[in-house]
């Protein structure tokens, strides 16, 4: 059998070239694809960059020594905390925290002053509403030093020996509602996966439905071009778009938001190919299933929602119920997030990311198979 | 395949969409070098039939060959040697004329893309629009581009689905000139159309209604086969006569043509009698010949015949 009856590079090349020309002509779509990463960076960037101050704080104090007063004053002065209720009861404080009225509750135990002086290293409990970790992490980070510095002034003269290590109090930080305690740096790498998922699935979702709606499919089907050539030809140009978006996010992450990138960037770009292809594969499959462009967009959206919610981007993965984790494990974004964070933040190499690489490959394979079998060779 | 073997030879071809039988047991032969006209009202199954020929739709039943290749098993080969012009413009509106043609030439893996594209543009006079976006062309030029696109690979069979719909008369005439040139070179063409003058330009015609083939053959054969006798009536306000004449014995149909009426019937004596009562000072009656249009109209009104 003649090889060209199965696959022809010339036909494939013709599709690629055509898609590039169409992409160049469709300025609006192209602009949107470039704008989305930028807009997202700016929107999320506020959450990342802002160093929230004056966070409402309640104090539950069972101690009336000058030390507790010093502590509360020092917290106020740091600018991070704004004490809105200096004499709350346990239950009041719990309620305030639950309702989101306060971001922090500081618990000062009974006899705090006396035990401090005795060198007992009394415990202070700082509970944070860490649903939005970006909001509390800086304040939490500052609190330890703050407490020590504040007490250092009071612990002078005969009490000076208490200033040496170990610290005079043990500060217990309790970030509630967010067991994993995502740090701000998680967001930029995560955004990369989110933007790619969002734009690439939609853009290719429209690719074949558009040919159908505009009637050009009729012409295409009457020619000798093969489904695989059409599918691949449509994927290639958008892989480049995907890389363009990644480049934008990496640059912004690095120079605007100063996200540390300790891993190998080349490795990241290489493995991203798989993730980009997986998303394009999903989009193409949608576009073979959808009857019109609206349906294709809706399908893309229904794919995007679980991706963003269950992948660990929005909520910490380990905090989700088992069923949600199971769905999450199927989605390419989940694995890509782990890979990106692994490479950029932890400096992972190929060996460490491998367990997250093959699920994406498998996903791509399944998506392409469905797409190819669903690609109708006729107009029936 | 010998030269006399039919280019299209289908038997009992059937295609249904749900309960709607779009093409019903249609049998048809088209000879090499022929221009075959395909007529019928909207929704009669012309597009569906043509799509089955070029492999765009899979027939439910029946059998047949196209260019000597089996319709069911060798669609790939049929695609390579036939050119299909869809009813709706189906090239890329956001590509220029040249880009569209280049794309098609590469899809057909032609050895000399540039030369073939230039040559085809030259031949169809598309040269001056080479860099214009297809979407900005007028209807006539769009159709010409579409024709160019399906000529690139030098097909032996052209399947043209209403190629001249919505095209001005001059462009229509040019289009037909092209078709005559091509068939003179040995290309066979199957053309669906609504225009009677175009039907008369075809070597053979077939008339389709509700998926059924009602008649086929040369224009003379079709007219003879219909057994229709037609008189023309001219005169002042002749249209007012229409309803009156329709009620008379022996009158099957009355069709207005400009300032004349075509009155047809199957029995020449009855028809003559029916017209004899008209005031000869006001109306002039002449025995004429039934045209294709009279025949088609009678087919539409009495699809079962009598
Ligand atoms: N893709 C389709 N799905 C469902 N019905 C169709 C489809 N294409 C055509 N039909 C129906 O088949 C019949 C024949 O249509 P068509 O072949 O387009 O007629 P024509 O080209 O003569 O106007 C019509 O009743 C039409 O509604
Ligand atoms: Mg039609």
């Amino acid at each position: 059998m003649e090889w060209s009856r199965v696959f022809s590079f010339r036909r494939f090349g013709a599709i690629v070239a055509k898609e590039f020309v169409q992409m160049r002509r469709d300025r609006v779509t192209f602009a949107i694809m470039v704008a989305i990463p930028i807009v997202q960076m700016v929107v999320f960037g506020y959450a990342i960059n802002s160093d929230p101050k004056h966070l409402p704080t309640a104090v539950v104090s069972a101690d009336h020594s000058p030390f507790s007063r010093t502590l509360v004053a020092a917290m106020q002065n740091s600018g991070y905390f704004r004490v809105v209720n200096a004499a709350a009861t346990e239950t009041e404080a719990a309620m305030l925290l639950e309702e989101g009225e306060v971001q922090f509750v500081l618990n000062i135990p009974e006899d705090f002053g006396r035990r401090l002086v005795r060198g007992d290293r009394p415990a202070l409990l700082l509970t944070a509403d860490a649903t939005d970790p970006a909001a509390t992490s800086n304040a939490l980070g500052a609190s330890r030093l703050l407490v020590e510095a504040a007490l250092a002034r009071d612990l002078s003269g005969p009490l000076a020996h208490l200033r040496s290590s170990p610290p005079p109090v043990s500060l217990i930080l309790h970030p509630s509602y967010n067991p994993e305690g995502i740090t701000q740096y998680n967001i930029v790498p995560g955004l990369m996966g989110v933007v790619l998922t969002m734009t690439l699935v939609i853009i290719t979702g429209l690719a074949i439905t558009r040919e159908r709606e505009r009637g050009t499919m009729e012409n295409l089907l009457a020619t000798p071009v093969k489904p695989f050539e059409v599918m691949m030809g449509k994927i290639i140009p958008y892989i480049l778009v995907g890389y363009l978006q990644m480049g934008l996010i990496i640059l912004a992450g690095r120079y605007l938001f100063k996200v540390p990138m300790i891993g190998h960037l080349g490795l990241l770009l290489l493995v991203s190919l798989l993730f980009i292809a997986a998303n394009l594969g999903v989009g193409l499959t949608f576009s073979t299933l959808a009857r019109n462009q609206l349906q294709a967009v809706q399908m893309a959206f229904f794919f995007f929602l679980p991706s963003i919610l269950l992948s660990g981007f929005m909520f910490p993965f380990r905090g989700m119920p088992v069923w949600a984790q199971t769905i999450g494990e199927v989605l390419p974004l989940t694995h890509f997030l782990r890979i990106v964070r692994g490479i950029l933040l932890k400096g992972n190499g190929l060996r460490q990311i491998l367990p997250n690489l093959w699920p994406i490959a498998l996903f791509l394979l399944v998506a392409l198979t469905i797409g190819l079998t669903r690609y109708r060779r006729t107009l029936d | 395949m010998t030269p006399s073997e039919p280019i299209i030879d289908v038997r009992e071809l059937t295609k249904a969409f749900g309960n709607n039988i779009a093409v019903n047991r249609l049998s048809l032969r088209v000879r090499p070098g022929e221009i075959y006209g395909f007529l019928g009202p909207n929704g009669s199954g012309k597009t569906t039939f043509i799509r089955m020929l070029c492999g765009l739709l899979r027939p439910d039943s029946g059998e047949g060959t196209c260019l000597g290749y089996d319709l069911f098993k060798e669609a790939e080969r049929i695609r390579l040697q036939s050119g299909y012009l869809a009813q709706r413009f189906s090239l890329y509106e956001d590509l220029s004329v040249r880009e569209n043609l280049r794309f098609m030439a590469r899809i057909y893996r032609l050895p000399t893309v540039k030369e073939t594209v230039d040559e085809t543009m030259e031949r169809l006079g598309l040269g001056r629009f080479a860099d214009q976006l297809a979407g900005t062309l007028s209807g006539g030029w769009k159709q010409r581009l579409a024709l160019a696109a399906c000529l690139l690979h030098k097909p032996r069979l052209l399947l043209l689905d209403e190629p001249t719909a919505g095209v001005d008369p001059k462009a229509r005439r040019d289009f037909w000139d092209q078709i005559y040139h091509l068939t003179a070179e040995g290309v066979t063409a199957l053309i669906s159309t609504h225009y009677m003058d175009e039907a008369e330009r075809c070597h053979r015609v077939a008339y389709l209604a509700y998926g059924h083939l009602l008649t086929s053959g040369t224009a003379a054969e079709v007219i003879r086969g219909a057994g229709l006798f037609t008189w023309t009536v001219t005169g002042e306000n002749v249209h007012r006569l229409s309803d009156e004449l329709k009620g008379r014995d022996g009158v099957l149909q009355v069709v207005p043509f400009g300032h004349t009426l075509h009155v047809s019937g199957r029995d020449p004596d009855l028809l003559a009698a029916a017209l004899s009562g008209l005031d000869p000072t006001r109306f002039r009656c002449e025995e004429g010949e039934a045209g294709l249009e009279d025949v088609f109209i009678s087919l539409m009104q009495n699809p079962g015949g009598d």
Side-chain angles (χ1 to χ4, degrees):
Chain A
M1 190 162 74
E2 219 185 317
W3 175 237
S4 76
R5 290 184 65 177
V6 184
F7 185 85
S8 149
F9 270 103
R10 291 196 63 199
R11 288 194 298 253
F12 165 70
I15 301 272
V16 173
K18 180 211 95 175
E19 290 291 327
F20 265 120
V21 175
Q22 289 188 306
M23 190 156 82
R24 210 179 62 215
R25 300 264 151 82
D26 191 358
R27 294 254 166 80
V28 176
T29 308
F30 191 76
I32 288 175
M33 287 190 293
V34 174
I36 281 180
I38 294 175
V39 169
Q40 294 242 2
M41 291 294 289
V42 170
V43 170
F44 282 92
Y46 275 113
I48 300 162
N49 230 6
S50 67
D51 185 9
K53 295 267 171 86
H54 312 292
L55 297 168
T57 305
V59 178
V60 181
S61 179
D63 179 79
H64 303 287
S65 67
F67 294 110
S68 9
R69 279 195 297 279
T70 310
L71 259 181
V72 173
M75 284 176 78
Q76 286 264 47
N77 291 341
S78 75
Y80 281 114
F81 304 92
R82 177 166 55 91
V83 177
V84 292
N85 190 335
T89 66
E90 257 337 308
T91 34
E92 269 172 6
M95 205 146 70
L96 286 172
L97 194 66
E98 199 169 331
E99 287 166 356
E101 291 290 318
V102 298
Q103 193 98 32
F104 297 97
V105 173
L106 178 69
N107 274 78
I108 306 177
E110 218 172 326
D111 293 339
F112 173 77
R114 192 156 346 128
R115 290 169 58 204
L116 181 71
V117 174
R118 272 214 308 263
D120 277 0
R121 302 196 60 237
L124 274 176
L125 177 65
L126 184 61
T127 309
D129 170 358
T131 39
D132 181 2
T136 50
S137 59
N138 281 353
L140 281 176
S143 58
R144 202 174 292 277
L145 277 176
L146 191 108
V147 169
E148 282 170 34
L151 293 177
R153 248 179 296 121
D154 283 6
L155 296 173
S156 51
L159 296 174
H161 67 280
L162 291 172
R163 278 156 58 182
S164 58
S165 58
V169 293
S170 76
L171 179 66
I172 302 167
L173 300 179
H174 180 53
S176 57
Y177 307 133
N178 186 350
E180 209 176 48
I182 295 180
T183 71
Q184 50 185 326
Y185 296 143
N186 269 341
I187 292 178
V188 169
L191 213 51
M192 205 178 304
V194 170
V195 166
L196 289 176
T197 302
M198 186 159 103
T199 50
L200 296 183
V201 172
I202 290 187
I203 214 73
T204 45
L206 295 176
I208 286 177
T209 30
R210 190 185 297 134
E211 299 249 7
R212 237 168 240 287
E213 269 188 13
R214 292 189 183 166
T216 52
M217 200 60 175
E218 182 153 10
N219 180 56
L220 211 53
L221 285 177
T223 70
V225 76
K226 301 284 176 295
F228 188 66
E229 293 157 0
V230 176
M231 300 269 264
M232 291 314 288
K234 282 180 175 291
I235 279 185
I236 298 290
Y238 294 109
I239 285 186
L240 291 185
V241 172
Y243 273 122
L244 185 66
Q245 294 179 325
M246 272 187 76
L248 281 174
I249 295 176
I250 290 178
L251 283 181
R254 180 152 209 165
Y255 296 106
L256 253 49
F257 302 115
K258 312 271 189 284
V259 174
M261 298 185 183
I262 54 176
H264 199 287
L265 221 52
L267 177 67
L268 178 65
L269 292 178
L270 190 69
V271 298
S272 300
L273 185 61
L274 202 60
F275 177 69
I276 291 173
N279 281 308
L280 296 173
V282 176
L284 275 185
T285 299
F286 285 164
S287 76
T288 58
L289 297 170
R291 297 211 166 274
N292 51 49
Q293 297 197 43
L294 180 65
Q295 275 189 7
V297 171
Q298 285 170 335
M299 285 183 188
F301 192 69
F302 275 111
F303 177 72
F304 182 60
L305 262 188
S307 285
I308 200 168
L309 293 178
L310 304 181
S311 62
F313 174 74
M314 215 68 143
F315 310 113
F317 197 78
R318 290 196 194 90
M320 300 192 309
V322 176
W323 64 265
Q325 290 196 17
T326 312
I327 299 175
E329 290 288 353
V330 176
L331 301 168
L333 182 59
T334 309
H335 301 280
F336 186 65
L337 288 184
R338 295 178 192 158
I339 291 176
V340 181
R341 288 169 178 168
I343 293 179
L344 286 187
L345 304 177
K346 300 184 203 156
N348 278 355
L350 186 59
R351 207 164 43 83
Q352 288 103 322
I353 60 170
L354 217 48
N356 283 309
L357 214 50
W358 68 261
I360 302 180
L362 191 66
F363 188 93
L364 169 65
L365 205 67
V366 172
L368 274 186
T369 309
I370 298 176
L372 277 174
T373 47
R374 287 287 317 186
Y375 179 98
R376 279 154 288 184
R377 214 50 191 94
T378 62
L379 291 169
D380 286 81
Chain B
M1 200 165 136
T2 61
S4 60
E5 244 181 86
I7 289 283
I8 298 173
D9 187 3
V10 298
R11 285 171 298 280
E12 306 271 302
L13 216 56
T14 300
K15 177 77 191 178
F17 298 104
N19 289 329
N20 175 10
I21 303 176
V23 172
N24 201 342
R25 304 174 67 162
L26 195 143
S27 303
L28 194 84
R29 274 181 182 209
V30 178
R31 298 169 179 77
E34 217 170 34
I35 303 180
Y36 200 98
F38 219 52
L39 286 103
N42 282 332
S44 57
K46 303 181 296 290
T47 299
T48 306
F49 178 72
I50 294 176
R51 281 175 172 172
M52 284 194 283
L53 288 180
C54 57
L56 283 176
L57 287 174
R58 188 162 246 287
D60 294 335
S61 63
E63 55 177 8
T65 59
C66 190
L67 295 158
Y69 299 117
D70 187 276
L71 222 50
F72 288 83
K73 298 191 199 102
E74 296 171 300
E76 286 302 299
R77 297 201 172 270
I78 299 174
R79 279 193 183 111
L80 279 171
Q81 296 185 24
S82 60
Y84 170 56
L85 192 156
Q87 181 170 351
R88 178 177 163 194
F89 183 71
S90 58
L91 293 172
Y92 298 96
E93 304 219 333
D94 49 352
L95 296 193
S96 72
V97 168
R98 191 198 304 276
E99 285 161 348
N100 266 305
L101 293 178
R102 200 186 292 152
F103 171 70
M104 290 297 279
R106 292 164 83 183
I107 288 288
Y108 281 101
R109 307 173 72 235
L110 301 183
T112 51
V113 171
K114 192 180 179 317
E115 288 77 6
T116 313
V117 167
D118 286 346
E119 205 179 281
T120 310
M121 282 199 299
E122 180 80 18
R123 171 170 192 167
L124 290 172
L126 282 161
R128 62 197 164 104
F129 299 117
D131 296 311
Q132 194 170 323
L133 293 189
T136 64
L137 295 175
S138 69
W141 285 103
K142 264 189 190 167
Q143 285 310 72
R144 215 178 253 240
L145 168 61
L147 181 65
C150 60
L151 292 180
L152 288 167
H153 60 295
K154 311 237 172 346
R156 289 163 54 210
L157 169 66
L158 287 175
L159 300 167
L160 312 175
D161 196 359
E162 297 196 24
T164 53
V167 168
D168 70 61
K170 161 93 168 64
R172 268 174 60 197
R173 220 170 32 244
D174 293 347
F175 198 90
W176 274 91
D177 283 345
Q178 289 292 339
I179 301 300
Y180 280 122
H181 280 302
L182 288 162
T183 48
E185 292 165 14
V187 174
T188 308
L190 178 76
I191 304 180
S192 78
T193 178
H194 281 299
Y195 297 106
M196 283 305 143
D197 61 314
E198 292 187 351
E200 276 153 13
R201 287 167 180 252
C202 297
H203 299 123
R204 277 160 197 283
V205 294
Y207 191 85
L208 225 68
Y210 315 111
H212 292 272
L213 183 70
L214 297 186
T215 182
S216 66
T218 61
E221 283 167 1
V222 166
I223 291 167
R224 210 177 318 129
L228 208 62
F229 300 88
T230 300
W231 287 62
T232 55
V233 182
T234 44
E236 195 90 351
N237 291 326
V238 74
H239 298 291
R240 299 226 180 109
L241 274 180
S242 189
D243 287 333
E244 186 195 333
L245 285 175
K246 267 181 198 162
R248 295 194 182 177
D249 252 5
V251 174
L252 194 66
Q253 68 185 28
V254 180
V255 183
F257 278 85
H259 293 292
T260 66
L261 288 181
H262 282 203
V263 185
S264 309
R266 295 204 194 280
D267 185 324
D269 300 331
L270 272 180
L271 187 62
L275 293 173
S276 63
L278 293 181
D279 180 356
T281 59
R282 292 176 56 210
F283 303 107
R284 208 153 60 94
C285 301
E286 280 173 9
E287 191 166 3
E289 279 212 345
L292 267 182
E293 186 152 14
D294 300 306
V295 173
F296 289 152
I297 289 170
S298 83
L299 284 172
M300 261 314 287
Q301 288 170 349
N302 320 280
D306 51 4

